[in-house]
Amino acid sequence: MKPAPIAYQLNGFDNHAYFYHHAPPQIFCPQCGCCTQPDYYPTDFHTPNRADFSCTYDGGAPIASARFKDFVTTLGLPVHFQSLNAEHSLFAFVPMLTLPYRAAQQSPACPICQQHEDQVLPIPDFRHVAPDGIFRSSLNFGSGREQSPVIILGTNTAARIKQAAKAQRWRGLSFALIGWLGA
């Protein structure tokens, strides 16, 4: 039986850059290395490629180009875009709504920051998603400071972004089906 699409995961190219390259050390837990200040954003961020949606080597928020940001803004959905440089050419992409996820594997909670140094294999913990919406997972996945959320699109939103990506020749986006087989 083929799963019924309930949402799509939005993935981005590796942009060959580091989100936390110039970050002050005090934003990381001294024991496990996890970022303890999720509202940290670099202010002079650049990438060697021109992807419209991408991810860094070391986690943090996904990165959106100005033209991708401009399109998503027209959708009227609750997504925060934080400018990452003076040129306003790259933005942190932070959906304001979350969907429940769990990790198939995670290390014990750090005694200092209560985060998990390793949290991998994301498992969606939902059966329904609004067809119009952009969400992030309730957990970040990866190891230490190299953790980031899963980005989830409702089916209608995914269709609109796919159509725009094709028409505008955006680079870096890929979509993975999140389906439900039912009970």
Side-chain angles (χ1 to χ4, degrees):
M1 173 187 258
K2 190 174 181 180
I6 58 171
Y8 287 87
Q9 180 174 316
L10 176 60
N11 302 305
F13 280 175
D14 184 337
N15 62 23
H16 308 291
Y18 292 90
F19 193 83
Y20 296 116
H21 185 68
H22 297 291
Q26 62 268 25
I27 74 163
F28 302 105
C29 175
Q31 173 124 2
C32 69
C34 290
C35 181
T36 58
Q37 295 182 18
D39 58 348
Y40 166 81
Y41 299 104
T43 57
D44 189 27
F45 185 83
H46 296 87
T47 65
N49 65 28
R50 294 181 177 239
D52 290 290
F53 189 80
S54 62
C55 299
T56 62
Y57 282 139
D58 61 348
I63 309 300
S65 68
R67 64 187 192 158
F68 184 71
K69 172 199 154 297
D70 290 345
F71 175 80
V72 171
T73 301
T74 68
L75 299 177
L77 299 170
V79 177
H80 173 69
F81 291 96
Q82 176 69 42
S83 182
L84 299 177
N85 57 39
E87 302 84 17
H88 303 293
S89 61
L90 297 172
F91 298 83
F93 179 86
V94 184
M96 303 310 292
L97 302 176
T98 62
L99 288 172
Y101 266 72
R102 56 191 162 92
Q105 296 178 359
Q106 63 186 186
S107 60
C110 173
I112 295 175
C113 72
Q114 302 308 309
Q115 296 186 72
H116 300 274
E117 182 177 1
D118 295 303
Q119 195 157 252
V120 297
L121 302 171
I123 300 171
D125 210 10
F126 53 86
R127 292 186 181 193
H128 304 286
V129 175
D132 296 300
I134 300 176
F135 312 88
R136 63 184 160 85
S137 57
S138 57
L139 302 174
N140 288 337
F141 294 91
S143 295
R145 71 173 66 178
E146 299 172 355
Q147 294 188 20
S148 56
V150 175
I151 304 299
I152 307 104
L153 306 174
T155 53
N156 293 346
T157 303
R160 290 179 72 185
I161 291 175
K162 285 179 187 180
Q163 184 179 32
K166 185 175 181 179
Q168 297 183 33
R169 296 185 173 186
W170 289 338
R171 296 186 61 223
L173 293 81
S174 66
F175 303 85
L177 172 72
I178 298 173
W180 184 254
L181 293 174

